[in-house]
């Protein structure tokens, strides 16, 4: 993978930018996108920034048939003095390559693509919204493009990065949510693709999602696929519990996504000398601790919401009300610290942010 | 779903047809394809046969991000007197709808689409090759087309049917293959999407496939995802064993695809008064029977090969040589009967074939 010159083709028709506090998630895209191609003989080549435009693919392109694809999700934040910050983007590109390995997709040069991304964002800097809680969502994704119905890794791929301004996840501050503990459907299992950010992991959850919504829940808490006993993660978030003064999160077991927010929270808690452990935790154990009055806080973590306090869990008809549906002290502190770092209001002692020049 | 008029737009540039005995699988497509769209307000609408052409989709089309897609695979065979036969196409469209349900995709009208398919094939009838073992492969598939990054079922879909002439799976007759019993990677687990024909189930197997190839195997035999103990199926085939006079195939447990060849074989065996059972079978039990000299035959079953005799299994370094690497008598009889019915040479007592007029 040799460093290649980035070609830039500017759009002639710039779109109007939406009101930054009224943006539905992931429906509005900026004027430009990043594209790079892979072919076996050439490797990854032709990095370019071009006007955002439709893709043209053969109906037999492999992406439509065998799901060989991976993606990432990160954000650019508008900080004080109009600086634009990315939060640990190196971790996203590392994870993209780990996901690619699982799906037999050739790796990208992480540094090269990260440079191209900052170039893209600097071209689109006016699209980074400024209202509190808003950001520019960044979606890198790779799709298999070979025209063939053979069940085999594609010989060609396309990496694209598209950008979408997004509104605040919580309008009016953090609000604890109710989550259903799914006891039938499975998201992932050891030996499967759970640790990869790949398309099939998401649509496979729609039935469980619909079931959860129907019963008034905002999301699904997945259990392990083998025994339906151990807690894994929420739809697009990792999960943490504060039990009797100790913070517990499921260990990375191959079926859980290694969230970058999760990782950052563990580092912060360690720095703050708050006990934190990554281990197996069964839903039975959690309910037992609850009955003993030991469950103090619960929260989901992910790029979308940063911290999403959990006010209530439902499992096989058993309701768990956490912290009286109120935001926990630790949840709030983590939220404030991370969003503070992301927007440059809190000093970044960890070198987590990367400024887009 | 009201019956809708099929629009037909003929291609002006017909492609040359390939030599029917030299066709690589799934790379050559016919002149026309079938397309139909879905929108929430309209349901499935605008069925049409149009020239085979590239698809244009927004980079944020959901198919590229969350894998909401299902597909089918069946074949049209050229029979005596140039008749063209389909083999149990109703079963494929039933299965397509079952897969769609799992992926939260709205169902199609099976009869309507089957009628449109026969129309398409009659337009493309010259593409159905005639050399023994060849056929016209039919690939119906549905993709989520809404432009949105929200993790939720799409509000719009496209159903397409593309056709590809395919050569003989076995050049020079049936040939037993060697298969690796995968002990690490998992294809599917109860509560997951294993029973659905959806894209993500296939690329998730590429790493195991590569491992198998590297060690000289032609394919992967999957074990259950929970205990890595029970036999499930081969890459794109169900699996049968003849043990001490009885035919055994893994029962449908939610993680195995309900193969139409599998179903047909069970029906034939019952008619022939050959004992056949669908049940859990552990790889340990199979190896024990082998050591006792009771494993008589093994074969994979699927639309691609019909019957693929298994001559050798490899599991954790333990080699099982079946029937001295020779084709079993029952394997051959099943192959001859089913391919005979498919090509009109054997009387179709089950009404399995549908003639395209
Ligand atoms: C399945 C899943 N788990 C967890 C996360 C949280 O990961 P991160 O903190 O990197 O956004 C995400 C979102 O990216 C996800 O899709
Ligand atoms: C995973 C899997 N199992 C089994 C089969 C065999 O099914 P059928 O006999 O309907 O072709 C297929 C192919 O369709 C498949 O993809």
């Amino acid at each position: 993978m040799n460093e290649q010159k980035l070609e830039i083709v500017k759009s002639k028709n710039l779109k109007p930018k939406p009101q930054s506090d009224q943006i539905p998630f992931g429906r509005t895209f900026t004027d430009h996108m990043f594209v790079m191609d892979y072919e076996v003989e050439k490797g990854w080549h032709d990095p370019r920034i071009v006007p955002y435009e439709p893709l043209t693919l053969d109906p037999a392109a492999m992406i439509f048939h065998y799901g060989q694809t991976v993606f990432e999700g990160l954000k650019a934040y508008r900080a004080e003095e109009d600086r634009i910050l990315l939060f640990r983007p190196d971790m996203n590109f590392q994870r993209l390559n780990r996901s690619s390995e699982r799906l037999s997709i050739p790796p990208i040069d992480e540094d090269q693509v990260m440079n191209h991304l900052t170039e893209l964002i600097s071209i689109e800097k006016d699209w980074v919204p400024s209202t509190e809680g808003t950001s520019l969502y960044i979606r890198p994704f790779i799709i298999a493009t070979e025209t063939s119905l053979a069940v085999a890794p594609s010989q060609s791929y396309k990496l694209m990065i598209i950008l979408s301004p997004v509104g605040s996840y919580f309008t009016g501050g953090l609000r604890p949510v109710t989550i259903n503990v799914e006891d039938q459907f499975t998201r992932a299992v050891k030996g499967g693709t759970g640790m990869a950010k790949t398309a099939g992991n998401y649509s496979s959850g729609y039935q469980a999602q619909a079931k959860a919504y129907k019963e008034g829940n905002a999301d699904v808490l997945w259990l392990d696929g083998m025994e339906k006993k151990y807690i894994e993660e929420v739809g697009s978030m990792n999960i943490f519990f504060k039990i009797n003064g100790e913070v517990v999160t499921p260990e990375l077991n191959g079926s859980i996504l290694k969230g970058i927010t999760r990782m950052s929270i563990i580092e912060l808690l360690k720095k703050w000398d708050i006990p934190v452990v990554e281990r197996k935790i069964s839903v039975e154990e959690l309910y037992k601790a609850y009955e003993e009055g030991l469950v103090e806080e619960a929260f989901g973590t992910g790029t979308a919401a940063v911290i999403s306090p959990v006010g209530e869990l439902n499992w096989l008809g058993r309701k768990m009300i956490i912290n009286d549906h109120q935001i926990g002290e630790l949840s709030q502190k983590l939220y404030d610290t991370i969003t503070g770092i992301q927007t440059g209001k809190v000093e970044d002692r960890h070198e987590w942010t990367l400024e887009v020049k």
Side-chain angles (χ1 to χ4, degrees), chain A residues 33-37 44 48 50-57 70-72 93 96 113 120 138-143 145 157-163:
Chain A
M33 62 185 184
F34 173 77
V35 187
M36 186 160 78
D37 296 307
W44 285 106
R48 56 202 186 271
V50 292
Y52 187 93
E53 63 185 5
L55 252 169
T56 299
L57 288 169
V70 294
F71 71 96
E72 268 305 326
F93 288 103
L96 187 69
V113 176
L120 174 66
I138 302 164
R139 168 59 57 93
F141 64 107
I142 301 177
I143 56 173
T145 54
Y157 301 86
K158 205 177 265 299
L159 162 67
M160 307 182 75
I161 304 179
I162 56 177
L163 307 175

Side-chain angles (χ1 to χ4, degrees), chain A residues 187-214:
Chain A
R187 175 187 174 272
V189 70
K190 200 166 157 237
T193 57
M195 50 60 71
K197 226 169 147 64
T198 184
N201 290 347
Y202 293 82
S203 51
S204 63
Y206 291 166
Q207 283 202 311
Q209 218 180 53
K211 204 170 93 177
Y213 292 168
K214 213 172 141 188

Side-chain angles (χ1 to χ4, degrees), chain A residues 287-319:
Chain A
Y287 270 76
K288 197 148 164 283
Y290 173 66
E291 277 151 26
E292 293 166 7
L294 302 176
V295 177
E296 295 156 12
E297 298 188 31
F299 52 91
T301 72
T303 296
V306 183
I307 297 281
S308 176
V310 178
E312 189 179 318
L313 283 183
N314 287 299
W315 175 51
L316 299 173
R318 292 167 69 184
K319 192 182 282 300

Side-chain angles (χ1 to χ4, degrees), chain A residues 11-237:
Chain A
S11 172
K12 296 206 171 58
N13 298 299
L14 300 188
K15 304 176 217 174
K17 294 174 185 64
Q19 283 291 90
S20 75
D21 48 355
Q22 296 168 1
I23 325 173
F25 178 76
R27 291 179 184 275
T28 310
F29 297 89
T30 68
D31 296 306
H32 300 89
M33 62 185 184
F34 173 77
V35 187
M36 186 160 78
D37 296 307
Y38 177 91
E39 268 130 61
V40 171
E41 318 78 47
K42 294 187 181 177
W44 285 106
H45 61 94
D46 280 348
R48 56 202 186 271
I49 289 170
V50 292
Y52 187 93
E53 63 185 5
L55 252 169
T56 299
L57 288 169
D58 195 282
M62 283 180 154
I63 176 62
F64 299 127
H65 302 273
Y66 306 127
Q68 203 191 7
T69 176
V70 294
F71 71 96
E72 268 305 326
L74 65 160
K75 287 176 170 178
Y77 307 87
R78 191 170 290 276
E80 314 272 270
E81 294 159 7
D82 264 356
R83 296 190 309 140
I84 291 171
L85 301 178
L86 297 175
F87 186 72
R88 312 189 80 175
D90 48 334
M91 294 293 128
N92 290 93
F93 288 103
Q94 271 181 29
R95 188 169 64 188
L96 187 69
N97 269 345
R98 274 203 310 277
S99 298
S100 285
E101 191 188 347
R102 181 62 187 85
L103 273 296
S104 302
I105 294 173
I108 55 161
D109 181 322
E110 297 163 21
D111 292 336
Q112 182 200 343
V113 176
M114 210 156 76
N115 286 339
H116 297 331
L117 169 63
T118 55
E119 191 80 30
L120 174 66
I121 291 174
S122 96
I123 290 173
E124 302 292 57
K125 62 179 179 304
D126 293 345
W127 281 91
V128 184
S130 55
T131 316
E132 186 171 335
T134 64
S135 57
L136 184 67
Y137 183 78
I138 302 164
R139 168 59 57 93
F141 64 107
I142 301 177
I143 56 173
T145 54
E146 189 187 351
T147 299
S148 165
L149 299 183
V151 181
S154 180
Q155 305 279 90
S156 62
Y157 301 86
K158 205 177 265 299
L159 162 67
M160 307 182 75
I161 304 179
I162 56 177
L163 307 175
S164 174
V166 292
S168 178
Y169 196 87
F170 299 103
T171 40
L174 289 182
R175 202 177 47 241
V177 294
T178 297
I179 290 185
N180 188 50
V181 183
E182 176 57 43
D183 61 306
Q184 283 188 291
F185 291 109
T186 297
R187 175 187 174 272
V189 70
K190 200 166 157 237
T193 57
M195 50 60 71
K197 226 169 147 64
T198 184
N201 290 347
Y202 293 82
S203 51
S204 63
Y206 291 166
Q207 283 202 311
Q209 218 180 53
K211 204 170 93 177
Y213 292 168
K214 213 172 141 188
E215 291 158 8
N217 304 277
D219 216 326
V220 171
L221 180 63
W222 295 106
L223 300 180
D224 79 280
M226 301 209 204
E227 306 180 67
K228 286 267 166 277
K229 225 170 117 174
Y230 297 101
I231 293 172
E232 299 235 317
E233 59 182 320
V234 184
S236 307
M237 293 192 282

